[in-house]
Amino acid sequence: MADVAFSICVYLGSRPGNNPLFTEAAVAVGRWIGQRGGQLVYGGGLSGLMGTVAEATRQAGGRVVGVIPEALVDKELANHLCDKLHIVNTMHERKAMMAERCDAFIALPGGIGTLEELFEVWTWRQLGYHDKPIGLLDIDGYYSSMLGFLQHAVHNGLMSDWQMDLIRTGAEPHALLASLVQDAGVNAETITLRSVI
């Protein structure tokens, strides 16, 4: 990643959703990354919010790296405009490669795939498999009910406050991204996650 200032892995929906604020957030995230000489690492598709963040990054001058399993090349419309498109065999390989190629993670609105990816890298962090910052972009209160439930889990003794402190939550894309890049530091060390998961 010597030719980019930082690398952000973005998790978000392969559908656009029905709230225009979600699309605006995806554009804002992509532009922020591109305008600052950063690299987007994402799921490699053209559809939905995924395609939106990739195109916004590309148009703003950022580098776009997509990682997509062969089984989803047609379903998620693989983005051949990526600077680098990795077509892998499995979802596990996809997620490990995405995690290895970034300095920080951010989740935007999405469905069960986005949630699964968010919770997996959060779990990996609590287990010490990586120490990269994780952000949750809560656009228009999309994640507020989920965060309330997680606090309910803490209240019931099934989670701890320190686990909640492993993610940073915000509603404003630029501020959250800036804090994640700052937390990651420059040239953050990468761990080979495929060796431990």
mmCIF file of all heavy atoms in Angstrom, residues 8-14 40-55 57 63-88 91 94-95 97-98 101 114 117:
data_model
loop_
_atom_site.group_PDB
_atom_site.id
_atom_site.type_symbol
_atom_site.label_atom_id
_atom_site.label_comp_id
_atom_site.label_asym_id
_atom_site.label_seq_id
_atom_site.Cartn_x
_atom_site.Cartn_y
_atom_site.Cartn_z
ATOM 1 N N ILE A 8 -9.133 1.800 3.543
ATOM 2 C CA ILE A 8 -10.332 1.593 4.352
ATOM 3 C C ILE A 8 -11.175 0.480 3.749
ATOM 4 O O ILE A 8 -11.516 0.521 2.565
ATOM 5 C CB ILE A 8 -11.197 2.869 4.420
ATOM 6 C CG1 ILE A 8 -10.405 4.046 4.981
ATOM 7 C CG2 ILE A 8 -12.463 2.620 5.232
ATOM 8 C CD1 ILE A 8 -10.229 4.017 6.472
ATOM 9 N N CYS A 9 -11.523 -0.499 4.558
ATOM 10 C CA CYS A 9 -12.456 -1.542 4.147
ATOM 11 C C CYS A 9 -13.866 -1.072 4.488
ATOM 12 O O CYS A 9 -14.154 -0.760 5.648
ATOM 13 C CB CYS A 9 -12.146 -2.850 4.858
ATOM 14 S SG CYS A 9 -13.266 -4.194 4.425
ATOM 15 N N VAL A 10 -14.735 -1.022 3.477
ATOM 16 C CA VAL A 10 -16.098 -0.543 3.659
ATOM 17 C C VAL A 10 -17.076 -1.695 3.448
ATOM 18 O O VAL A 10 -17.054 -2.351 2.406
ATOM 19 C CB VAL A 10 -16.418 0.611 2.687
ATOM 20 C CG1 VAL A 10 -17.853 1.082 2.869
ATOM 21 C CG2 VAL A 10 -15.448 1.775 2.905
ATOM 22 N N TYR A 11 -17.916 -1.918 4.446
ATOM 23 C CA TYR A 11 -19.001 -2.889 4.353
ATOM 24 C C TYR A 11 -20.311 -2.120 4.177
ATOM 25 O O TYR A 11 -20.590 -1.192 4.952
ATOM 26 C CB TYR A 11 -19.096 -3.731 5.633
ATOM 27 C CG TYR A 11 -17.850 -4.511 5.971
ATOM 28 C CD1 TYR A 11 -17.310 -4.448 7.251
ATOM 29 C CD2 TYR A 11 -17.229 -5.330 5.040
ATOM 30 C CE1 TYR A 11 -16.183 -5.180 7.593
ATOM 31 C CE2 TYR A 11 -16.103 -6.061 5.371
ATOM 32 C CZ TYR A 11 -15.582 -5.986 6.651
ATOM 33 O OH TYR A 11 -14.461 -6.705 6.986
ATOM 34 N N LEU A 12 -21.112 -2.520 3.195
ATOM 35 C CA LEU A 12 -22.387 -1.840 2.961
ATOM 36 C C LEU A 12 -23.234 -2.662 2.011
ATOM 37 O O LEU A 12 -22.763 -3.654 1.444
ATOM 38 C CB LEU A 12 -22.176 -0.418 2.428
ATOM 39 C CG LEU A 12 -21.666 -0.200 1.010
ATOM 40 C CD1 LEU A 12 -21.626 1.317 0.723
ATOM 41 C CD2 LEU A 12 -20.310 -0.798 0.749
ATOM 42 N N GLY A 13 -24.477 -2.255 1.837
ATOM 43 C CA GLY A 13 -25.444 -3.062 1.131
ATOM 44 C C GLY A 13 -25.179 -3.244 -0.356
ATOM 45 O O GLY A 13 -24.722 -2.331 -1.038
ATOM 46 N N SER A 14 -25.525 -4.422 -0.862
ATOM 47 C CA SER A 14 -25.506 -4.669 -2.299
ATOM 48 C C SER A 14 -26.823 -4.223 -2.931
ATOM 49 O O SER A 14 -27.013 -4.365 -4.135
ATOM 50 C CB SER A 14 -25.255 -6.150 -2.591
ATOM 51 O OG SER A 14 -26.268 -6.951 -2.012
ATOM 52 N N LEU A 40 -9.979 2.311 -1.269
ATOM 53 C CA LEU A 40 -11.188 1.614 -0.857
ATOM 54 C C LEU A 40 -10.995 0.127 -1.078
ATOM 55 O O LEU A 40 -10.615 -0.302 -2.171
ATOM 56 C CB LEU A 40 -12.386 2.099 -1.682
ATOM 57 C CG LEU A 40 -13.659 1.249 -1.594
ATOM 58 C CD1 LEU A 40 -14.317 1.394 -0.226
ATOM 59 C CD2 LEU A 40 -14.636 1.610 -2.713
ATOM 60 N N VAL A 41 -11.268 -0.656 -0.045
ATOM 61 C CA VAL A 41 -11.344 -2.107 -0.173
ATOM 62 C C VAL A 41 -12.793 -2.472 0.106
ATOM 63 O O VAL A 41 -13.345 -2.086 1.141
ATOM 64 C CB VAL A 41 -10.405 -2.822 0.820
ATOM 65 C CG1 VAL A 41 -10.549 -4.333 0.686
ATOM 66 C CG2 VAL A 41 -8.963 -2.400 0.606
ATOM 67 N N TYR A 42 -13.405 -3.195 -0.818
ATOM 68 C CA TYR A 42 -14.829 -3.504 -0.637
ATOM 69 C C TYR A 42 -15.157 -4.800 -1.374
ATOM 70 O O TYR A 42 -14.280 -5.447 -1.949
ATOM 71 C CB TYR A 42 -15.694 -2.331 -1.112
ATOM 72 C CG TYR A 42 -16.009 -2.332 -2.588
ATOM 73 C CD1 TYR A 42 -17.327 -2.444 -3.030
ATOM 74 C CD2 TYR A 42 -14.999 -2.245 -3.550
ATOM 75 C CE1 TYR A 42 -17.624 -2.458 -4.392
ATOM 76 C CE2 TYR A 42 -15.292 -2.252 -4.890
ATOM 77 C CZ TYR A 42 -16.601 -2.366 -5.317
ATOM 78 O OH TYR A 42 -16.900 -2.385 -6.651
ATOM 79 N N GLY A 43 -16.439 -5.158 -1.375
ATOM 80 C CA GLY A 43 -16.859 -6.462 -1.877
ATOM 81 C C GLY A 43 -16.850 -6.678 -3.370
ATOM 82 O O GLY A 43 -17.210 -7.764 -3.827
ATOM 83 N N GLY A 44 -16.453 -5.679 -4.154
ATOM 84 C CA GLY A 44 -16.201 -5.892 -5.567
ATOM 85 C C GLY A 44 -17.389 -5.827 -6.505
ATOM 86 O O GLY A 44 -17.247 -6.098 -7.692
ATOM 87 N N GLY A 45 -18.573 -5.457 -5.978
ATOM 88 C CA GLY A 45 -19.760 -5.436 -6.826
ATOM 89 C C GLY A 45 -20.111 -4.055 -7.342
ATOM 90 O O GLY A 45 -19.677 -3.034 -6.810
ATOM 91 N N LEU A 46 -20.930 -4.046 -8.410
ATOM 92 C CA LEU A 46 -21.436 -2.797 -8.985
ATOM 93 C C LEU A 46 -22.821 -2.442 -8.463
ATOM 94 O O LEU A 46 -23.290 -1.327 -8.661
ATOM 95 C CB LEU A 46 -21.521 -2.916 -10.512
ATOM 96 C CG LEU A 46 -20.277 -2.590 -11.330
ATOM 97 C CD1 LEU A 46 -20.519 -2.927 -12.793
ATOM 98 C CD2 LEU A 46 -19.905 -1.125 -11.181
ATOM 99 N N SER A 47 -23.488 -3.381 -7.822
ATOM 100 C CA SER A 47 -24.880 -3.169 -7.446
ATOM 101 C C SER A 47 -24.995 -2.399 -6.133
ATOM 102 O O SER A 47 -24.104 -2.422 -5.287
ATOM 103 C CB SER A 47 -25.609 -4.516 -7.324
ATOM 104 O OG SER A 47 -24.995 -5.330 -6.348
ATOM 105 N N GLY A 48 -26.113 -1.711 -5.982
ATOM 106 C CA GLY A 48 -26.489 -1.075 -4.727
ATOM 107 C C GLY A 48 -25.488 -0.061 -4.205
ATOM 108 O O GLY A 48 -24.780 0.621 -4.959
ATOM 109 N N LEU A 49 -25.441 0.043 -2.878
ATOM 110 C CA LEU A 49 -24.533 0.978 -2.222
ATOM 111 C C LEU A 49 -23.073 0.620 -2.472
ATOM 112 O O LEU A 49 -22.201 1.497 -2.481
ATOM 113 C CB LEU A 49 -24.830 1.026 -0.718
ATOM 114 C CG LEU A 49 -26.232 1.496 -0.325
ATOM 115 C CD1 LEU A 49 -26.438 1.384 1.178
ATOM 116 C CD2 LEU A 49 -26.487 2.932 -0.799
ATOM 117 N N MET A 50 -22.806 -0.677 -2.692
ATOM 118 C CA MET A 50 -21.436 -1.103 -2.991
ATOM 119 C C MET A 50 -20.916 -0.398 -4.239
ATOM 120 O O MET A 50 -19.814 0.155 -4.258
ATOM 121 C CB MET A 50 -21.386 -2.617 -3.192
ATOM 122 C CG MET A 50 -21.565 -3.432 -1.939
ATOM 123 S SD MET A 50 -21.695 -5.211 -2.297
ATOM 124 C CE MET A 50 -20.142 -5.523 -3.091
ATOM 125 N N GLY A 51 -21.714 -0.439 -5.299
ATOM 126 C CA GLY A 51 -21.307 0.212 -6.540
ATOM 127 C C GLY A 51 -21.174 1.718 -6.387
ATOM 128 O O GLY A 51 -20.288 2.342 -6.976
ATOM 129 N N THR A 52 -22.046 2.288 -5.566
ATOM 130 C CA THR A 52 -22.018 3.740 -5.346
ATOM 131 C C THR A 52 -20.726 4.182 -4.684
ATOM 132 O O THR A 52 -20.086 5.149 -5.116
ATOM 133 C CB THR A 52 -23.226 4.172 -4.493
ATOM 134 O OG1 THR A 52 -24.431 3.839 -5.186
ATOM 135 C CG2 THR A 52 -23.197 5.665 -4.215
ATOM 136 N N VAL A 53 -20.308 3.500 -3.620
ATOM 137 C CA VAL A 53 -19.084 3.912 -2.922
ATOM 138 C C VAL A 53 -17.861 3.706 -3.800
ATOM 139 O O VAL A 53 -16.928 4.523 -3.797
ATOM 140 C CB VAL A 53 -18.936 3.189 -1.556
ATOM 141 C CG1 VAL A 53 -18.521 1.729 -1.716
ATOM 142 C CG2 VAL A 53 -17.946 3.916 -0.668
ATOM 143 N N ALA A 54 -17.861 2.645 -4.604
ATOM 144 C CA ALA A 54 -16.722 2.383 -5.486
ATOM 145 C C ALA A 54 -16.601 3.465 -6.551
ATOM 146 O O ALA A 54 -15.504 3.983 -6.811
ATOM 147 C CB ALA A 54 -16.863 1.011 -6.135
ATOM 148 N N GLU A 55 -17.718 3.827 -7.175
ATOM 149 C CA GLU A 55 -17.675 4.836 -8.227
ATOM 150 C C GLU A 55 -17.301 6.202 -7.663
ATOM 151 O O GLU A 55 -16.546 6.964 -8.291
ATOM 152 C CB GLU A 55 -19.015 4.894 -8.960
ATOM 153 C CG GLU A 55 -19.057 5.848 -10.144
ATOM 154 C CD GLU A 55 -18.054 5.529 -11.248
ATOM 155 O OE1 GLU A 55 -17.472 4.417 -11.266
ATOM 156 O OE2 GLU A 55 -17.835 6.416 -12.101
ATOM 157 N N THR A 57 -15.422 6.783 -5.062
ATOM 158 C CA THR A 57 -13.985 6.742 -4.776
ATOM 159 C C THR A 57 -13.181 6.902 -6.054
ATOM 160 O O THR A 57 -12.223 7.683 -6.126
ATOM 161 C CB THR A 57 -13.608 5.414 -4.091
ATOM 162 O OG1 THR A 57 -14.380 5.238 -2.903
ATOM 163 C CG2 THR A 57 -12.129 5.377 -3.740
ATOM 164 N N ARG A 63 -7.954 4.850 -5.127
ATOM 165 C CA ARG A 63 -7.719 3.493 -5.640
ATOM 166 C C ARG A 63 -8.829 2.588 -5.124
ATOM 167 O O ARG A 63 -9.190 2.652 -3.942
ATOM 168 C CB ARG A 63 -6.345 3.011 -5.180
ATOM 169 C CG ARG A 63 -5.995 1.592 -5.618
ATOM 170 C CD ARG A 63 -4.566 1.248 -5.224
ATOM 171 N NE ARG A 63 -4.309 -0.181 -5.304
ATOM 172 C CZ ARG A 63 -4.030 -0.830 -6.435
ATOM 173 N NH1 ARG A 63 -3.955 -0.162 -7.567
ATOM 174 N NH2 ARG A 63 -3.813 -2.125 -6.415
ATOM 175 N N VAL A 64 -9.353 1.722 -5.996
ATOM 176 C CA VAL A 64 -10.452 0.832 -5.632
ATOM 177 C C VAL A 64 -10.002 -0.620 -5.783
ATOM 178 O O VAL A 64 -9.572 -1.034 -6.865
ATOM 179 C CB VAL A 64 -11.692 1.085 -6.513
ATOM 180 C CG1 VAL A 64 -12.814 0.104 -6.162
ATOM 181 C CG2 VAL A 64 -12.174 2.524 -6.350
ATOM 182 N N VAL A 65 -10.107 -1.356 -4.684
ATOM 183 C CA VAL A 65 -9.777 -2.781 -4.680
ATOM 184 C C VAL A 65 -11.034 -3.557 -4.329
ATOM 185 O O VAL A 65 -11.627 -3.348 -3.266
ATOM 186 C CB VAL A 65 -8.653 -3.097 -3.669
ATOM 187 C CG1 VAL A 65 -8.420 -4.604 -3.584
ATOM 188 C CG2 VAL A 65 -7.377 -2.371 -4.046
ATOM 189 N N GLY A 66 -11.458 -4.425 -5.227
ATOM 190 C CA GLY A 66 -12.632 -5.257 -4.991
ATOM 191 C C GLY A 66 -12.233 -6.697 -4.766
ATOM 192 O O GLY A 66 -11.268 -7.181 -5.376
ATOM 193 N N VAL A 67 -12.970 -7.375 -3.894
ATOM 194 C CA VAL A 67 -12.737 -8.790 -3.626
ATOM 195 C C VAL A 67 -14.085 -9.493 -3.674
ATOM 196 O O VAL A 67 -14.971 -9.186 -2.872
ATOM 197 C CB VAL A 67 -12.068 -9.020 -2.248
ATOM 198 C CG1 VAL A 67 -11.703 -10.498 -2.082
ATOM 199 C CG2 VAL A 67 -10.837 -8.136 -2.074
ATOM 200 N N ILE A 68 -14.239 -10.413 -4.608
ATOM 201 C CA ILE A 68 -15.542 -11.032 -4.820
ATOM 202 C C ILE A 68 -15.381 -12.525 -5.074
ATOM 203 O O ILE A 68 -14.471 -12.934 -5.804
ATOM 204 C CB ILE A 68 -16.291 -10.327 -5.985
ATOM 205 C CG1 ILE A 68 -17.751 -10.764 -6.057
ATOM 206 C CG2 ILE A 68 -15.578 -10.540 -7.303
ATOM 207 C CD1 ILE A 68 -18.583 -9.897 -6.984
ATOM 208 N N PRO A 69 -16.220 -13.366 -4.470
ATOM 209 C CA PRO A 69 -16.163 -14.796 -4.771
ATOM 210 C C PRO A 69 -16.672 -15.070 -6.184
ATOM 211 O O PRO A 69 -17.558 -14.376 -6.686
ATOM 212 C CB PRO A 69 -17.108 -15.428 -3.733
ATOM 213 C CG PRO A 69 -17.353 -14.373 -2.721
ATOM 214 C CD PRO A 69 -17.186 -13.072 -3.417
ATOM 215 N N GLU A 70 -16.132 -16.081 -6.802
ATOM 216 C CA GLU A 70 -16.527 -16.431 -8.165
ATOM 217 C C GLU A 70 -18.033 -16.657 -8.276
ATOM 218 O O GLU A 70 -18.653 -16.266 -9.271
ATOM 219 C CB GLU A 70 -15.760 -17.672 -8.621
ATOM 220 C CG GLU A 70 -15.922 -17.987 -10.085
ATOM 221 C CD GLU A 70 -14.979 -19.079 -10.558
ATOM 222 O OE1 GLU A 70 -14.203 -19.605 -9.738
ATOM 223 O OE2 GLU A 70 -15.025 -19.394 -11.760
ATOM 224 N N ALA A 71 -18.636 -17.224 -7.233
ATOM 225 C CA ALA A 71 -20.070 -17.511 -7.256
ATOM 226 C C ALA A 71 -20.925 -16.256 -7.301
ATOM 227 O O ALA A 71 -22.104 -16.329 -7.655
ATOM 228 C CB ALA A 71 -20.448 -18.354 -6.036
ATOM 229 N N LEU A 72 -20.363 -15.089 -6.921
ATOM 230 C CA LEU A 72 -21.140 -13.852 -6.894
ATOM 231 C C LEU A 72 -20.779 -12.890 -8.028
ATOM 232 O O LEU A 72 -21.314 -11.775 -8.078
ATOM 233 C CB LEU A 72 -20.933 -13.138 -5.544
ATOM 234 C CG LEU A 72 -21.462 -13.852 -4.314
ATOM 235 C CD1 LEU A 72 -21.224 -13.008 -3.068
ATOM 236 C CD2 LEU A 72 -22.936 -14.196 -4.451
ATOM 237 N N VAL A 73 -19.909 -13.301 -8.925
ATOM 238 C CA VAL A 73 -19.464 -12.414 -10.005
ATOM 239 C C VAL A 73 -20.649 -11.903 -10.813
ATOM 240 O O VAL A 73 -20.724 -10.716 -11.148
ATOM 241 C CB VAL A 73 -18.436 -13.120 -10.910
ATOM 242 C CG1 VAL A 73 -18.243 -12.368 -12.224
ATOM 243 C CG2 VAL A 73 -17.097 -13.245 -10.175
ATOM 244 N N ASP A 74 -21.594 -12.775 -11.115
ATOM 245 C CA ASP A 74 -22.772 -12.363 -11.885
ATOM 246 C C ASP A 74 -23.851 -11.775 -10.991
ATOM 247 O O ASP A 74 -24.473 -10.765 -11.334
ATOM 248 C CB ASP A 74 -23.339 -13.540 -12.675
ATOM 249 C CG ASP A 74 -22.389 -14.015 -13.770
ATOM 250 O OD1 ASP A 74 -21.654 -13.161 -14.310
ATOM 251 O OD2 ASP A 74 -22.377 -15.221 -14.064
ATOM 252 N N LYS A 75 -24.073 -12.379 -9.828
ATOM 253 C CA LYS A 75 -25.150 -11.933 -8.938
ATOM 254 C C LYS A 75 -24.938 -10.508 -8.443
ATOM 255 O O LYS A 75 -25.877 -9.713 -8.369
ATOM 256 C CB LYS A 75 -25.279 -12.891 -7.758
ATOM 257 C CG LYS A 75 -26.453 -12.600 -6.837
ATOM 258 C CD LYS A 75 -26.595 -13.650 -5.763
ATOM 259 C CE LYS A 75 -27.805 -13.362 -4.887
ATOM 260 N NZ LYS A 75 -27.968 -14.372 -3.822
ATOM 261 N N GLU A 76 -23.715 -10.173 -8.053
ATOM 262 C CA GLU A 76 -23.421 -8.833 -7.536
ATOM 263 C C GLU A 76 -22.790 -7.933 -8.605
ATOM 264 O O GLU A 76 -22.343 -6.841 -8.303
ATOM 265 C CB GLU A 76 -22.509 -8.919 -6.302
ATOM 266 C CG GLU A 76 -23.208 -9.524 -5.091
ATOM 267 C CD GLU A 76 -22.368 -9.474 -3.826
ATOM 268 O OE1 GLU A 76 -21.164 -9.142 -3.904
ATOM 269 O OE2 GLU A 76 -22.919 -9.790 -2.759
ATOM 270 N N LEU A 77 -22.766 -8.405 -9.848
ATOM 271 C CA LEU A 77 -22.236 -7.619 -10.969
ATOM 272 C C LEU A 77 -20.813 -7.134 -10.676
ATOM 273 O O LEU A 77 -20.591 -5.977 -10.322
ATOM 274 C CB LEU A 77 -23.148 -6.424 -11.281
ATOM 275 C CG LEU A 77 -24.616 -6.741 -11.563
ATOM 276 C CD1 LEU A 77 -25.408 -5.446 -11.731
ATOM 277 C CD2 LEU A 77 -24.753 -7.623 -12.792
ATOM 278 N N ALA A 78 -19.859 -8.038 -10.807
ATOM 279 C CA ALA A 78 -18.461 -7.707 -10.503
ATOM 280 C C ALA A 78 -18.030 -6.431 -11.207
ATOM 281 O O ALA A 78 -18.308 -6.223 -12.385
ATOM 282 C CB ALA A 78 -17.555 -8.865 -10.893
ATOM 283 N N ASN A 79 -17.343 -5.577 -10.457
ATOM 284 C CA ASN A 79 -16.944 -4.259 -10.939
ATOM 285 C C ASN A 79 -15.567 -4.337 -11.600
ATOM 286 O O ASN A 79 -14.534 -4.279 -10.939
ATOM 287 C CB ASN A 79 -16.916 -3.274 -9.766
ATOM 288 C CG ASN A 79 -16.620 -1.862 -10.200
ATOM 289 O OD1 ASN A 79 -16.412 -1.582 -11.380
ATOM 290 N ND2 ASN A 79 -16.594 -0.949 -9.248
ATOM 291 N N HIS A 80 -15.561 -4.401 -12.937
ATOM 292 C CA HIS A 80 -14.305 -4.517 -13.669
ATOM 293 C C HIS A 80 -13.607 -3.165 -13.844
ATOM 294 O O HIS A 80 -12.546 -3.098 -14.473
ATOM 295 C CB HIS A 80 -14.554 -5.202 -15.011
ATOM 296 C CG HIS A 80 -14.996 -6.634 -14.854
ATOM 297 N ND1 HIS A 80 -14.128 -7.657 -14.534
ATOM 298 C CD2 HIS A 80 -16.231 -7.188 -14.922
ATOM 299 C CE1 HIS A 80 -14.795 -8.794 -14.433
ATOM 300 N NE2 HIS A 80 -16.076 -8.531 -14.665
ATOM 301 N N LEU A 81 -14.192 -2.106 -13.266
ATOM 302 C CA LEU A 81 -13.521 -0.803 -13.254
ATOM 303 C C LEU A 81 -12.600 -0.648 -12.046
ATOM 304 O O LEU A 81 -11.924 0.379 -11.911
ATOM 305 C CB LEU A 81 -14.562 0.326 -13.256
ATOM 306 C CG LEU A 81 -15.431 0.439 -14.510
ATOM 307 C CD1 LEU A 81 -16.478 1.537 -14.321
ATOM 308 C CD2 LEU A 81 -14.584 0.704 -15.742
ATOM 309 N N CYS A 82 -12.594 -1.635 -11.156
ATOM 310 C CA CYS A 82 -11.685 -1.587 -10.005
ATOM 311 C C CYS A 82 -10.243 -1.501 -10.483
ATOM 312 O O CYS A 82 -9.880 -2.067 -11.526
ATOM 313 C CB CYS A 82 -11.826 -2.848 -9.145
ATOM 314 S SG CYS A 82 -13.377 -2.993 -8.244
ATOM 315 N N ASP A 83 -9.401 -0.808 -9.721
ATOM 316 C CA ASP A 83 -7.970 -0.823 -10.013
ATOM 317 C C ASP A 83 -7.425 -2.234 -9.884
ATOM 318 O O ASP A 83 -6.528 -2.640 -10.629
ATOM 319 C CB ASP A 83 -7.231 0.127 -9.062
ATOM 320 C CG ASP A 83 -7.623 1.566 -9.308
ATOM 321 O OD1 ASP A 83 -7.158 2.139 -10.309
ATOM 322 O OD2 ASP A 83 -8.428 2.114 -8.522
ATOM 323 N N LYS A 84 -7.971 -2.983 -8.939
ATOM 324 C CA LYS A 84 -7.617 -4.388 -8.778
ATOM 325 C C LYS A 84 -8.863 -5.132 -8.331
ATOM 326 O O LYS A 84 -9.473 -4.780 -7.318
ATOM 327 C CB LYS A 84 -6.494 -4.548 -7.733
ATOM 328 C CG LYS A 84 -6.023 -5.965 -7.552
ATOM 329 C CD LYS A 84 -5.297 -6.486 -8.776
ATOM 330 C CE LYS A 84 -4.758 -7.890 -8.574
ATOM 331 N NZ LYS A 84 -4.128 -8.438 -9.792
ATOM 332 N N LEU A 85 -9.269 -6.133 -9.103
ATOM 333 C CA LEU A 85 -10.415 -6.965 -8.759
ATOM 334 C C LEU A 85 -9.924 -8.377 -8.507
ATOM 335 O O LEU A 85 -9.428 -9.035 -9.421
ATOM 336 C CB LEU A 85 -11.457 -6.946 -9.879
ATOM 337 C CG LEU A 85 -12.705 -7.804 -9.642
ATOM 338 C CD1 LEU A 85 -13.503 -7.282 -8.441
ATOM 339 C CD2 LEU A 85 -13.583 -7.852 -10.892
ATOM 340 N N HIS A 86 -10.030 -8.819 -7.257
ATOM 341 C CA HIS A 86 -9.637 -10.176 -6.894
ATOM 342 C C HIS A 86 -10.879 -11.063 -6.947
ATOM 343 O O HIS A 86 -11.864 -10.794 -6.253
ATOM 344 C CB HIS A 86 -9.057 -10.216 -5.481
ATOM 345 C CG HIS A 86 -7.833 -9.381 -5.292
ATOM 346 N ND1 HIS A 86 -6.572 -9.846 -5.581
ATOM 347 C CD2 HIS A 86 -7.671 -8.102 -4.854
ATOM 348 C CE1 HIS A 86 -5.678 -8.904 -5.322
ATOM 349 N NE2 HIS A 86 -6.322 -7.841 -4.882
ATOM 350 N N ILE A 87 -10.841 -12.103 -7.745
ATOM 351 C CA ILE A 87 -11.922 -13.088 -7.781
ATOM 352 C C ILE A 87 -11.419 -14.318 -7.042
ATOM 353 O O ILE A 87 -10.443 -14.958 -7.456
ATOM 354 C CB ILE A 87 -12.328 -13.418 -9.229
ATOM 355 C CG1 ILE A 87 -12.839 -12.152 -9.924
ATOM 356 C CG2 ILE A 87 -13.410 -14.506 -9.247
ATOM 357 C CD1 ILE A 87 -13.184 -12.326 -11.389
ATOM 358 N N VAL A 88 -12.067 -14.614 -5.913
ATOM 359 C CA VAL A 88 -11.592 -15.669 -5.012
ATOM 360 C C VAL A 88 -12.588 -16.826 -5.004
ATOM 361 O O VAL A 88 -13.667 -16.761 -5.585
ATOM 362 C CB VAL A 88 -11.368 -15.107 -3.590
ATOM 363 C CG1 VAL A 88 -10.275 -14.041 -3.602
ATOM 364 C CG2 VAL A 88 -12.658 -14.537 -3.017
ATOM 365 N N MET A 91 -16.209 -17.261 0.430
ATOM 366 C CA MET A 91 -16.491 -16.073 1.239
ATOM 367 C C MET A 91 -15.431 -15.876 2.311
ATOM 368 O O MET A 91 -15.063 -14.750 2.631
ATOM 369 C CB MET A 91 -17.876 -16.194 1.880
ATOM 370 C CG MET A 91 -19.024 -15.991 0.911
ATOM 371 S SD MET A 91 -19.110 -14.303 0.265
ATOM 372 C CE MET A 91 -19.667 -13.407 1.716
ATOM 373 N N ARG A 94 -12.555 -14.240 0.752
ATOM 374 C CA ARG A 94 -12.915 -12.847 0.457
ATOM 375 C C ARG A 94 -12.733 -11.972 1.689
ATOM 376 O O ARG A 94 -12.091 -10.926 1.641
ATOM 377 C CB ARG A 94 -14.372 -12.781 -0.008
ATOM 378 C CG ARG A 94 -14.892 -11.384 -0.272
ATOM 379 C CD ARG A 94 -16.416 -11.363 -0.304
ATOM 380 N NE ARG A 94 -16.958 -10.429 -1.285
ATOM 381 C CZ ARG A 94 -18.246 -10.204 -1.465
ATOM 382 N NH1 ARG A 94 -19.142 -10.851 -0.749
ATOM 383 N NH2 ARG A 94 -18.666 -9.351 -2.373
ATOM 384 N N LYS A 95 -13.329 -12.410 2.809
ATOM 385 C CA LYS A 95 -13.310 -11.577 4.012
ATOM 386 C C LYS A 95 -11.913 -11.441 4.591
ATOM 387 O O LYS A 95 -11.532 -10.352 5.050
ATOM 388 C CB LYS A 95 -14.301 -12.135 5.030
ATOM 389 C CG LYS A 95 -15.747 -11.978 4.562
ATOM 390 C CD LYS A 95 -16.744 -12.433 5.595
ATOM 391 C CE LYS A 95 -16.719 -13.933 5.770
ATOM 392 N NZ LYS A 95 -17.754 -14.388 6.717
ATOM 393 N N MET A 97 -9.058 -11.587 2.889
ATOM 394 C CA MET A 97 -8.283 -10.728 1.989
ATOM 395 C C MET A 97 -8.654 -9.265 2.171
ATOM 396 O O MET A 97 -7.784 -8.389 2.193
ATOM 397 C CB MET A 97 -8.501 -11.156 0.540
ATOM 398 C CG MET A 97 -7.654 -10.381 -0.455
ATOM 399 S SD MET A 97 -7.870 -10.929 -2.177
ATOM 400 C CE MET A 97 -6.958 -12.467 -2.123
ATOM 401 N N MET A 98 -9.949 -8.987 2.316
ATOM 402 C CA MET A 98 -10.381 -7.606 2.538
ATOM 403 C C MET A 98 -9.781 -7.063 3.831
ATOM 404 O O MET A 98 -9.286 -5.932 3.883
ATOM 405 C CB MET A 98 -11.907 -7.533 2.584
ATOM 406 C CG MET A 98 -12.577 -7.742 1.235
ATOM 407 S SD MET A 98 -14.370 -7.990 1.359
ATOM 408 C CE MET A 98 -14.894 -6.355 1.885
ATOM 409 N N ARG A 101 -6.023 -6.215 3.659
ATOM 410 C CA ARG A 101 -5.624 -5.125 2.781
ATOM 411 C C ARG A 101 -6.080 -3.746 3.256
ATOM 412 O O ARG A 101 -6.041 -2.788 2.490
ATOM 413 C CB ARG A 101 -6.140 -5.394 1.365
ATOM 414 C CG ARG A 101 -5.284 -6.412 0.628
ATOM 415 C CD ARG A 101 -5.952 -6.987 -0.603
ATOM 416 N NE ARG A 101 -5.006 -7.757 -1.418
ATOM 417 C CZ ARG A 101 -4.501 -8.933 -1.073
ATOM 418 N NH1 ARG A 101 -4.841 -9.498 0.079
ATOM 419 N NH2 ARG A 101 -3.643 -9.562 -1.864
ATOM 420 N N THR A 114 -23.729 -7.417 5.425
ATOM 421 C CA THR A 114 -22.994 -6.322 6.068
ATOM 422 C C THR A 114 -22.877 -6.566 7.565
ATOM 423 O O THR A 114 -21.800 -6.386 8.157
ATOM 424 C CB THR A 114 -23.715 -4.985 5.802
ATOM 425 O OG1 THR A 114 -23.765 -4.763 4.398
ATOM 426 C CG2 THR A 114 -23.001 -3.824 6.484
ATOM 427 N N GLU A 117 -20.344 -9.327 8.316
ATOM 428 C CA GLU A 117 -18.964 -8.872 8.157
ATOM 429 C C GLU A 117 -18.543 -7.981 9.322
ATOM 430 O O GLU A 117 -17.427 -8.104 9.843
ATOM 431 C CB GLU A 117 -18.816 -8.132 6.831
ATOM 432 C CG GLU A 117 -18.914 -9.049 5.623
ATOM 433 C CD GLU A 117 -19.059 -8.302 4.312
ATOM 434 O OE1 GLU A 117 -19.763 -7.268 4.266
ATOM 435 O OE2 GLU A 117 -18.464 -8.758 3.322
#
